[in-house]
Amino acid sequence: MSGVMGNDQDADIDLGRLFSAVWQRRGRLLAATALAAGLAFVGTTMMAPSFRGEARILIESRSPNLSAGQAPASGNDPVLDTLNITSQAEVLQSSDLIKQVARDLRLHEIAEFDPDGHSLFPGPFVLLGLAQDPLSVAPEERVVREFREKLKVYPIENSRIIAIEFSSHDPKLAAAIPNKMAQVYLALESGAKLDTQSDTAKWLEPEIAALTEKVREAERKVADYRSEAGLFQTGQSGSFAAQQLNDISNELARVRGERANAEARAQNVRAALEAGRASDTLTDVVGSQVIQRLKETEANLQAQISDQSTVLLENHPRLKGLRAQLQGIRRQIEAETQKILASLDYEAEVSRLRETQLIQQLNTIKADSARTGEDEVGLRALEREAAAQRQLLETYLARYREAASRQEPGAAPADARIVSTAIEPQEPYFPKVVPIVIVLSLATLVLGAIAAMLGELFSGRALRPSQASAGIEPEMRDEGDEHLVHRMQADAAAEFDQIHARLQNEQPVPTEEPTEVDPAVPGPDAEDADEAFNIETVANYLTRYDVSVALAVSPEGDKGSTATVMLARDISDRGKTVVLIDMTGSACPSRLMGAGTLPGVTDLLCGQAAFGEAIHRDRLSDAHIVPQGNADAVAAMRGIDRLSMIIDALADAYDHVLVECGAADVEGVSRLSRGRDTEIIFSIADAHSESFSATLDGYRNAGYDNLLVMASDATVPSGRRAA
C-alpha cells in the first residue's frame, strides 16, 4: 500500500493474496450463491408466465387487371418501396387499429390490459398525490397503453414481410391478437382503397358532365365555322376544294395522255400515206369496219377477175367492168383512209381543247384552294380544341367506369396478405427458470469474489512494494500464519530476557530489592540496573511483535524527534512498510525527511488535502511521512478527533505507524492514543534523570503500561525499560 499512497514508490498486486482471500471466504460466497439461486428460483416460479404469438404479413401489389392487355410489371410499384414497408409497420401500431382490435376482442374486460381499472385500491403514489390517478384517463386509452407495451411490430430485413409479435399471460390471446390485428389491417387497407375509388367516382361525375357540355360546344363551333367558310368535307381527311383539285389534276393528266395518243396515231397514218405504204400495215385503218368491208369486196373482185381471165380475153367487157369496179373500191379505201386520218386529227384537236379547259379550271381551283387553306387554319384550331376536350372526356369516362366497377368490397383487395398466422404457444417465453437461476448464481459468485478482492486491495493486504522500489526482499511478508506470529513473539521475548539478564550481570546489585520484579518487564525502581533501548533494538521489538501503531514522545524536543526519524528508517530498511506522522510543533521530522513545506496532517484534519496528497516519501529511505502540513494548527486541532480515523486507515495500509508527538504531556497523548494498551516510545538521552522518572510516574498513574524507552543517542548500549 505504500506504493499506492506514496508519491514515488510503486507497488505490485499480490495475486496469491487475492485468491487466498477469495478462498478464505468461500463459505460465505457459496452461501450467498446458494441463497441467490434459491431466491431466483422462487421468484421465477412465482412470476406469471408470458406467452408470445407472431403473425406475418406480406406487402405486395394486389390491384386487379381489368383491361384485356397484359398487366404491367410491378417491380417498381410504390407499394413495394422500402419506406412504404416501414410506413405500413407504423400503421399496424396506430391507435385507431389498436382501439378497433381492443373493441372487437373486448380487452377492457381483461385485468391484464386494464390493471388500474380492475384494482380495488389506488397506488401509494396516487394516494400521496405524487402521481396522476389512472382512473382519470379513459379506459380505452389505458388499454391502448398496456397494449403497446406488449406489442412489437417490425419489418423483416431484406424482405417485404412485416412481423407482428404480441405477448400475453393468456396463450390464446397471444395468438388471437396478432391474427386479429392482421385481419383488421387488411380490412382497413381494403376500405381505404374503396374510399379512394368512391371519392374518385364522386369527383368524376360532375367533371364528366361539364366536359360533355364543353365537347358539344366545341364541335358546334367547328360545324358553324366549316359552314360559314364553305369548308365541306368529302372524306375523312380533306376538303371539297382539295378533292376537286385532285380530280381535275387526274382528269388533266388523262386528257393529256389521250391527246398525245391521238396525235401519235394521226402522225403514223399520215407518214404511211406519204410514204406510199399499204394501208394494211396501219392499225387504225385495219381496225375500221368500213375498210374491212371494202377489203373484202376488193378481194372478191380480184377473185372474179382471176376466174374470168381464164375464159375471157383481156378486152372483154366483163373483165373491163370488173377491173373498173376494182379501181373504184381502191379509191374508196383511200378515201376512207383519209377520213380515218381526219378523225384522228380531230380527236387530237378535241383533246387539246379539253386540256386547255382543264388547265383553266385547275388555275381557278388553285386560287380557291389557297383561300380555303387560310380558312382551314382557324378550322384546325377549333378541331384541336374539340379533340382535346373529347379525349379528356373519354379518359374521365374510362376512369369513371373503372372506379364504379371497383366500388364493391371484393373488387379492391388490400395490397397485403397474411403469409403466416399466429398459433397458440405451448411454452412461455418468459421467465426461463434455469437460465435465470444460473445467471444470477454466477453473477452473485463473481460479484462476491470481486468484492473480496477489492476489500483486500483497499485494505492494502494484497499490495506489496515492487522489487525495484523496496530494494530488499521482505523476510516475512508472506508469513501470515497465526502459529508463525506466536513463534515470532516467543523468540522476541526470549531474546529480550537474555538481554535483560546480561545487563543485570553488568550492573551493581541494588541495596534494596524492589517490591515486585517482572523478569520480562523490570519496574521503575530498578533504574540503576536498566538502560534505555537503542534504535536498532526498538526497531527489532516493533517488527518482531508486529506493533502496528506506536506513539513516540520526545521530552527533549528535536533531539528525540531525530531519533524517531532514524527509527522509521531502520524499520524501512528491514523491508517493512512504515509511515511517520509528524505531530510536533517544530516540524523537525518533516524537515529531516524532506517534506517540510508539503501538505500533511494539518491539511488532512482541516479537510484541505486527500490521503494521496498528504503522504510523501523519505528522501533517504523507503519510509513514508505525513508531515506537519501547511494548514492552521489551531483550526486543525478542532478536528483532532479525526486523527484516530486517519491512524486506523494508515494502520490498514502500512505495517507500522509511528506518531511523533514531540514533548507532549499525558493529556495530549491520551487524546491521540486509542487505548491504555497503546505502545508509547520515549525518545530520551538520559533515562535516569528525575524529570524523566516523574514523567514515567505520570504515565503509569494514568494507566499506561506499555512504555518503551529509546535512547536518542545512537551510541547508547542497548537495554530495556518498561513500566
Side-chain angles (χ1 to χ4, degrees), residues 18 139 141 400 715:
L18 292 178
E141 297 297 331
Y400 178 79
T715 61

Side-chain angles (χ1 to χ4, degrees), residues 468-537:
S469 176
I472 59 175
E473 181 72 22
E475 296 178 359
M476 289 189 245
R477 178 65 60 187
D478 298 331
E479 299 182 10
D481 187 74
E482 182 178 2
H483 299 288
L484 181 59
V485 173
H486 292 324
R487 183 171 58 80
M488 291 166 53
Q489 293 178 350
D491 293 344
E495 181 178 350
F496 280 106
D497 289 341
Q498 294 176 2
I499 294 174
H500 175 68
R502 186 174 66 253
L503 292 177
Q504 282 185 344
N505 293 331
E506 294 176 357
Q507 298 295 333
V509 179
T511 58
E512 183 179 357
E513 291 185 359
T515 58
E516 182 180 358
V517 178
D518 187 354
V521 184
D525 296 334
E527 293 179 358
D528 296 337
D530 293 334
E531 296 292 343
F533 286 165
N534 60 15
I535 295 174
E536 182 180 359
T537 304

